[in-house]
């Protein structure tokens, strides 16, 4: 059937596209800073911020690999859930938006505090709103690729 693809393709496309868009969104949210700084900050979750500041492009490459790896895991969870619960495919937009909300809270209050960053960011309305919008977009992108599976 035209427009259909495999589970693996949905995971790969959803993860890579959403993960890449997320880097651009993080750059925009932070005043359009160089995306390499965003990628280095992501690497800081694994190696700590002092190591990030001492490193160069190799740290940004590590951050890119971590970003895409996490995005693929996040996409895989939704795509596999949508295979088990076809209503997630039929109602992909609200499902993707809801998934984005979940992504925001898990990343902010579970993943980041457990990382070498060590704590959730201080709550601030503007940051909350912009980061939530980014995660809503992330969830929607993943759901859009899952819907055609």
């Amino acid at each position: 059937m035209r427009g259909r693809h495999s589970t693996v393709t949905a995971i790969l496309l959803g993860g890579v596209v959403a993960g890449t868009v997320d880097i651009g969104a993080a750059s925009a949210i932070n005043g359009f800073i160089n995306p390499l700084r965003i990628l280095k900050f992501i690497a800081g979750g694994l190696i700590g911020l002092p190591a990030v500041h001492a490193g160069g492009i190799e740290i940004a490459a590590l951050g890119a690999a971590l970003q895409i790896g996490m995005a693929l895991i996040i996409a895989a969870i939704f795509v596999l859930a949508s295979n088990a619960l076809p209503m997630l495919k039929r109602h992909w937009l609200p499902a993707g938006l809801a998934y984005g909300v979940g992504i925001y809270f898990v990343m902010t209050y579970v993943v980041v505090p457990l990382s070498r960053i060590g704590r959730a960011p201080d709550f601030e309305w503007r940051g909350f709103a912009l980061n939530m919008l980014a995660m809503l977009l992330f969830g929607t992108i993943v759901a859009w690729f899952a819907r055609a599976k």
Side-chain angles (χ1 to χ4, degrees):
M1 176 184 272
R2 192 167 178 258
R4 309 279 284 169
H5 47 258
S6 72
T7 296
V8 171
T9 301
I11 292 168
L12 289 173
L13 289 173
V16 170
V17 171
T20 303
V21 168
D22 188 46
I23 294 165
S27 173
I29 289 167
N30 291 284
F32 292 98
I33 64 172
N34 187 329
L36 293 177
R37 284 185 61 195
I38 300 296
L39 294 172
K40 288 175 80 173
F41 183 79
I42 293 166
L46 181 65
I47 63 174
L49 293 178
V52 165
H53 298 304
I57 194 72
E58 73 282 1
I59 302 300
L62 174 61
L66 292 169
Q67 172 71 7
I68 297 305
M70 287 183 290
L72 290 170
I73 291 167
I74 293 166
I77 291 167
F78 186 89
V79 171
L80 295 173
S82 73
N83 286 346
L85 301 167
M87 72 175 227
L88 296 176
K89 291 180 192 178
R90 285 192 305 275
H91 305 288
W92 66 271
L93 183 56
L97 291 170
Y99 193 54
V101 171
I103 295 168
Y104 172 84
F105 285 106
V106 168
M107 292 303 294
T108 303
Y109 297 108
V110 177
V111 174
V112 172
L114 292 174
S115 76
R116 296 282 307 269
I117 302 297
R119 65 179 184 85
D122 295 331
F123 184 83
E124 180 264 318
W125 280 107
R126 181 182 179 279
F128 167 76
L130 293 174
N131 284 293
M132 180 62 79
L133 284 173
M135 291 303 95
L136 292 171
L137 178 59
F138 192 111
T140 300
I141 291 169
V142 169
W144 188 82
F145 282 106
R147 81 178 188 344
K149 170 21 206 112

